[in-house]
Amino acid sequence: MARWRGPVLIDTNVIIEAWRVDAWRALRGGYGLETVEECVIETQTGFQNRRPEQQIDREALLAGLKAIHKVSDAERAIALIRDGEIAMLDDGEKALWAHALARSDAWVLCGPDKASLRIGVRLKLRDRLVALERLLDDAGYRPKTPLKAAYGQGWLDHTLVELSQREGGIA
């Protein structure tokens, strides 16, 4: 895949990890980052459990996002009809999938949660799932602090094969 030029939908975990490894500026400079209101809210909760470098400045976060989407009840209902397991995801991931499935344009989704990735595999959207490492590599950024394994391209590739096999899809 050449460097992605369209919307990049990111979940809370990706925002936190990009912040942790000081890659937020590179990520926002390289892509049109979008998320949903629930993910923004999640980035602002749990500060007491995060180290200072993982605490996300709300204003800097908002300035780095191309769009923050409000998800309607209708979008949520349609997403649940497409795959009932969406109900099992965290609020941010649930809303992000509801938003993604309502879009008519091309997008990629970056989020390492296995339950979320399983939704993408089952809905035949595997090719729209992207690793944070890939995004940063394509933007020409190499973090000084290593990414956690679940944000790496190798981990994503392995996990998608594993999930595809479990879901009866093509590995």
Side-chain angles (χ1 to χ4, degrees), residues 135-151:
L135 293 173
L136 293 174
D137 282 351
D138 288 351
Y141 184 79
R142 305 289 182 273
K144 291 177 186 156
T145 303
L147 292 168
K148 291 179 182 172
Y151 298 92

Side-chain angles (χ1 to χ4, degrees), residues 45-117:
T45 59
F47 276 118
Q48 65 278 9
N49 298 324
R50 292 190 202 136
R51 293 189 306 263
E53 68 274 15
Q54 292 175 297
Q55 295 187 12
I56 295 156
D57 179 282
R58 181 177 170 80
E59 296 310 311
L61 172 64
L62 298 178
L65 293 168
K66 181 180 173 193
I68 302 165
H69 301 280
K70 182 174 178 62
V71 179
S72 72
D73 290 341
E75 290 169 327
R76 292 174 200 279
I78 291 166
L80 286 172
I81 289 167
R82 291 220 22 215
D83 192 319
E85 281 198 30
I86 288 174
M88 306 303 288
L89 300 175
D90 290 339
D91 288 344
E93 292 162 339
K94 222 184 289 190
L96 195 61
W97 272 109
H99 170 71
L101 295 173
R103 294 179 76 119
S104 59
D105 61 345
W107 47 266
V108 294
L109 189 145
C110 185
D113 182 81
K114 279 189 179 183
S116 176
L117 295 173

Side-chain angles (χ1 to χ4, degrees), residues 2-77:
R3 182 167 168 199
W4 181 255
R5 300 285 180 201
V8 176
L9 307 178
I10 54 175
D11 76 2
T12 307
N13 293 320
V14 168
I15 295 168
I16 292 169
E17 182 68 357
W19 213 271
R20 184 185 75 80
V21 300
D22 198 27
W24 181 250
R25 277 188 226 102
L27 192 61
R28 74 173 188 173
Y31 300 96
L33 303 175
E34 301 184 22
T35 195
V36 292
E37 290 178 337
E38 289 82 350
C39 288
V40 172
I41 291 166
E42 287 175 352
T43 67
Q44 300 303 301
T45 59
F47 276 118
Q48 65 278 9
N49 298 324
R50 292 190 202 136
R51 293 189 306 263
E53 68 274 15
Q54 292 175 297
Q55 295 187 12
I56 295 156
D57 179 282
R58 181 177 170 80
E59 296 310 311
L61 172 64
L62 298 178
L65 293 168
K66 181 180 173 193
I68 302 165
H69 301 280
K70 182 174 178 62
V71 179
S72 72
D73 290 341
E75 290 169 327
R76 292 174 200 279

